[in-house]
Amino acid sequence: ASRWKTHPRFHFLVRLDSSATNALADTVDSLNQQIHEGWHFDIVSLMPSPDVISEIPFIDWHTIHNAQEAKQAIDTLVASRNFDWIIELPAGASLDPLCLWRIAEEIDRHPEFSAFYVDDYSIDREGERVETRFKPGVNPEWLRSADLAGPVFVRRDVWPATGGASVRDGSPWFSQLLRIAEKFGWSSISHVPD
């Protein structure tokens, strides 16, 4: 890290509904374990903020009045914060402690990329890894066919240039990946196989 030309800062966002509140703790815990410390976490939700959130300096909670306001809220947060890379995650996503360090390493080596996606896996109730998804390299046919990429790390200038957050909340990164490819080409996207 000391030899990097830049030290990227990451902005995480989650659209939180009432069914995923318990899972949110897993995401917060995994962010707290990152060895790369340059990140902030914004939660957009219909629910009011729990009191404990105001005590955590790197997390902010934003209450919206209806689900249709989520895109606008996320895009406003991205525009108002000064972070280099934007990532919308599902509540409950757990990042490997080296995830941000690994992405930062790739950013330093390849600053020309507009977006990155990584391999992932699910964790069962006992905390064991299950359903590992080793994703393909950038293969347009595969990536167009289904949501294979999962959450995407998007460079700050690319976010608004491709329409910002997706309107839908089920898998917002899938349409975002397609918009990035349409605007900047598939060669602007990189798979980090870890």
Side-chain angles (χ1 to χ4, degrees):
S2 63
R3 62 179 168 68
W4 292 344
K5 295 173 200 81
T6 63
H7 291 273
R9 297 180 55 215
F10 298 92
H11 187 187
F12 290 92
L13 300 123
V14 165
R15 300 177 202 214
L16 183 67
D17 64 39
S18 59
S19 68
T21 54
N22 292 337
L24 183 63
D26 294 335
T27 303
V28 172
D29 288 346
S30 79
L31 288 171
N32 276 329
Q33 294 174 13
Q34 293 300 304
I35 64 167
H36 182 81
E37 297 178 350
W39 60 269
H40 187 82
F41 186 33
D42 279 310
I43 301 157
V44 174
S45 179
L46 293 168
M47 301 174 295
S49 173
D51 292 335
V52 70
I53 294 294
S54 64
E55 300 169 10
I56 306 171
F58 49 84
I59 299 177
D60 288 312
W61 188 288
H62 309 274
T63 303
I64 55 176
H65 301 292
N66 61 63
Q68 291 72 34
E69 293 177 3
K71 177 191 173 12
Q72 175 74 33
I74 290 170
D75 288 342
T76 299
L77 288 165
V78 168
S80 68
R81 305 248 193 241
N82 191 24
F83 291 93
D84 307 304
W85 291 82
I86 319 305
I87 310 96
E88 185 171 354
L89 292 174
S94 293
L95 304 176
D96 182 271
L98 294 173
C99 179
L100 294 185
W101 180 87
R102 181 70 174 95
I103 295 295
E105 178 78 15
E106 287 299 312
I107 291 166
D108 188 67
R109 289 176 36 206
H110 299 285
E112 71 276 11
F113 286 120
S114 298
F116 293 92
Y117 64 95
V118 298
D119 296 334
D120 61 24
Y121 54 84
S122 298
I123 299 174
D124 66 16
R125 291 184 179 156
E126 287 78 42
E128 298 296 320
R129 290 182 185 192
V130 295
E131 299 179 38
T132 300
R133 294 193 322 166
F134 294 111
K135 299 172 185 176
V138 179
N139 179 320
E141 288 73 33
W142 281 28
L143 293 171
R144 274 191 206 108
S145 69
D147 178 17
L148 297 174
V152 179
F153 291 77
V154 181
R155 202 174 62 218
R156 178 184 177 78
D157 63 310
V158 172
W159 185 273
T162 55
S166 297
V167 173
R168 60 183 246 192
D169 62 356
S171 177
W173 38 85
F174 182 57
S175 64
Q176 191 171 53
L177 180 77
L178 297 177
R179 287 182 279 135
I180 292 167
E182 182 178 320
K183 176 96 176 173
F184 296 100
W186 287 102
S187 62
S188 74
I189 300 167
S190 180
H191 169 236
V192 179
D194 271 344

